[in-house]
Amino acid sequence: MSLMMQEERLILVDEQDNKVGIGEKMQVHRQGALHRAFSIFIFDRQGRLMLQQRAAEKYHSGSLWTNSCCGHPRPEESNLAAATRRLHEEMGFNCPLTEVDQILYRVDVSNSLVENEFNHTFVGVFDQPPAINPDEAEGWQWMTVPAIFAAIEQQPAQFTEWFKVILGHFGQGVIQQWADGLR
């Protein structure tokens, strides 16, 4: 585990996303404490979603497919600034991002950790291959929204738990609207 990750601090929140404290990243995930997070969905102009395959060495959910990028704002960062920073750190590009919704969820992930998140959902459009950071992602691909839902139905174990929860919460129609709205 990197020193940076050990020292990373997360914003603890209540169910209305009001800040209630600060916690060390691994401790927060071990305890399942509610914290602020974000998920980014990058679409191309054809309406396909960029999926990220998490690096095998990640502290949880390694090698699983998920949304384009996700992470946690630092205590001094806005959600948008954090999302912009992580998109560049993980996928090697920047593009305008727009927050479209929020979702509250709690899911068990690998290594006995819990993602208990008040998650801000961002969308953006980008039409080029990313320059992925191999410490963060081992692969990527474009997929249509219907193909993603079909793949999750056929092979759910290949996808992160939070990605399945987010897609299930919003549904195929809303996700497709996000894609169509960016064309």
Side-chain angles (χ1 to χ4, degrees):
M1 182 181 339
S2 73
L3 183 60
M4 185 177 135
M5 192 185 79
Q6 289 176 348
E7 295 175 352
E8 190 170 343
R9 297 176 307 139
L10 304 185
I11 303 166
L12 304 177
V13 297
D14 64 18
E15 291 186 357
Q16 288 74 46
D17 197 33
N18 297 305
K19 180 180 172 182
V20 298
I22 302 292
E24 184 273 322
K25 184 175 185 174
M26 288 305 295
Q27 181 180 358
V28 167
H29 287 100
R30 283 187 199 106
Q31 295 173 342
L34 182 59
H35 59 281
R36 190 172 293 156
F38 57 84
S39 292
I40 304 171
F41 289 70
I42 300 296
F43 297 92
D44 66 6
R45 298 238 182 254
Q46 297 176 44
R48 299 176 301 175
L49 177 62
M50 178 185 287
L51 297 184
Q52 177 194 128
Q53 184 178 25
R54 290 171 60 87
E57 300 78 24
K58 295 289 279 188
Y59 68 105
H60 70 74
S61 308
S63 297
L64 297 181
W65 289 94
T66 196
N67 50 289
S68 311
C69 177
C70 54
H72 308 93
R74 294 174 178 155
E76 67 280 359
E77 277 183 312
S78 71
N79 296 326
L80 178 59
T84 300
R85 171 182 55 81
R86 282 305 288 166
L87 183 61
H88 189 265
E89 288 172 356
E90 290 187 12
M91 303 303 282
F93 68 89
N94 291 316
C95 68
L97 298 173
T98 302
E99 186 169 349
V100 291
D101 216 324
Q102 300 88 39
I103 177 177
L104 184 67
Y105 57 79
R106 181 184 175 98
V107 294
D108 293 332
V109 295
S110 61
N111 298 329
S112 300
L113 300 176
V114 176
E115 288 288 13
N116 186 12
E117 298 184 331
F118 190 105
N119 191 284
H120 296 262
T121 308
F122 290 87
V123 299
V125 63
F126 189 74
D127 278 313
Q128 299 173 29
I132 61 174
N133 176 346
D135 294 333
E136 301 291 343
E138 63 185 56
W140 71 278
Q141 65 177 314
W142 294 111
M143 283 185 79
T144 66
V145 173
I148 293 167
F149 278 81
I152 288 174
E153 187 174 312
Q154 294 167 1
Q155 296 182 323
Q158 299 298 310
F159 296 88
T160 63
E161 293 301 318
W162 65 88
F163 186 48
K164 293 183 284 190
V165 168
I166 292 169
L167 292 180
H169 174 80
F170 291 115
Q172 186 170 337
V174 170
I175 306 295
Q176 189 64 58
Q177 286 176 351
W178 295 346
D180 293 344
L182 294 169
R183 289 189 204 200

